[in-house]
């Protein structure tokens, strides 16, 4: 894979795509910011640090535990927060659909953001399977879990483009496609590290993400398309 060529092509697509990838990204970022604020509100723990410190200094573990439980978010809050996490996964699938349409020259639309709801259950099940597999590999140590994360990076693309495939089949096919390419994709990810660091800054990061997200996701879509058409022995 030619990293520079992929990123150059991605920039051209983002700059010239119709509808504007930047407008799509701005809407996506706005929705994600709202979801993030709701999530923080739901699971925030309002505790007095001095009170906790006193419990620790007095070795009163039972009081410490009771205080945490008393001020922890309710089960209903955790449930609602889980629904928000699922919503983020579905909207991310919509973003991937949008970038795939741009890359393929298909008819892209701002409404692509909602297209993930058409495959909601498949996206949800894929997220669970990926999470379980990466977690199980991580039990062996950090590096196996990290490698597993890269094994399954193409699963969502496959799920979107191949409705006949199950989530498990997409994971296995991603594993096959990524054989010999995991390090390559890791280096490609590293080339975005500057943008990624800027994107996590408060407030400023929201503006950075409007450009960074379509640039990054379009590059990944191009990588996927080139990967599936790469001749294999």
């Amino acid at each position: 894979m030619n990293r520079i060529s992929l990123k150059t092509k991605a920039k051209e697509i983002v700059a010239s795509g119709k509808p504007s990838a930047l407008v799509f990204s701005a809407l996506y970022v706005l929705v994600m910011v709202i979801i993030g604020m709701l999530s923080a509100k739901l699971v925030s723990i309002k505790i007095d640090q001095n009170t906790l410190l006193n419990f620790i200094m007095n070795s009163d573990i039972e009081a410490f535990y009771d205080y945490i439980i008393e001020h922890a978010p309710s089960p209903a809050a955790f449930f609602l927060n889980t629904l928000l996490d699922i919503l983020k996964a579905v909207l991310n699938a919509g973003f991937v659909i949008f970038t795939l349409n741009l890359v393929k020259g298909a008819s892209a639309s701002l409404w692509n953001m909602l297209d993930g709801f058409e495959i909601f259950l498949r996206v949800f099940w894929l997220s669970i399977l990926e999470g379980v597999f990466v977690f199980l590999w991580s039990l062996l140590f950090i590096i196996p879990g990290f490698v597993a994360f890269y094994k399954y990076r193409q699963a969502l693309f496959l799920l979107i483009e191949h409705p006949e495939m199950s989530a498990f089949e997409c994971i296995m096919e991603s594993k096959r496609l990524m054989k010999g390419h995991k390090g390559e994709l890791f280096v490609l990810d590293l080339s975005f590290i500057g943008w990624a660091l800027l994107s996590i800054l408060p407030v400023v990061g929201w503006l950075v993400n409007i450009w960074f997200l379509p640039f990054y996701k379009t590059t990944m879509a191009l990588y996927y398309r080139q990967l599936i058409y790469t001749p294999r022995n």
Side-chain angles (χ1 to χ4, degrees), residues 174-189:
S174 177
K175 178 181 176 181
R176 185 190 72 82
L177 287 172
M178 288 303 295
K179 186 176 182 180
H181 291 277
K182 292 181 284 294
E184 176 183 73
L185 184 53
F186 173 65
V187 172
L188 180 57
D189 278 341

Side-chain angles (χ1 to χ4, degrees), residues 54 103 132 221:
N54 287 333
V103 166
V132 169

Side-chain angles (χ1 to χ4, degrees), residues 28 31-32 35 83-95 97 110-124 156 159-160:
Y28 178 84
V31 173
M32 285 298 169
I35 291 175
L83 292 181
L84 290 178
D85 287 338
I86 295 172
L87 177 60
K88 287 192 291 185
V90 173
L91 293 175
N92 176 64
F95 206 142
I97 292 171
L110 296 179
W111 292 106
N112 287 150
M113 191 180 302
L114 303 179
D115 285 348
F117 287 98
E118 296 180 7
I119 53 173
F120 159 72
L121 291 178
R122 282 160 54 78
V123 171
F124 177 55
L156 180 57
L159 189 81
I160 290 169

Side-chain angles (χ1 to χ4, degrees), residues 4 15 28 34 58 61 126 128-129 145 147 190 199 210 221 232:
I4 296 176
Y28 178 84
I34 294 172
N58 295 324
I61 303 302
L126 178 67
I128 292 176
L129 287 179
V147 172
L190 279 182
S199 71
I210 292 175
R232 294 177 178 273

Side-chain angles (χ1 to χ4, degrees), residues 45 47 52 62-75 78:
I45 302 178
I47 58 176
L52 289 180
E62 183 177 350
F64 178 90
Y65 177 77
D66 289 341
Y67 186 84
I68 292 295
I69 294 298
E70 182 182 350
H71 292 80
S74 67
F78 277 116

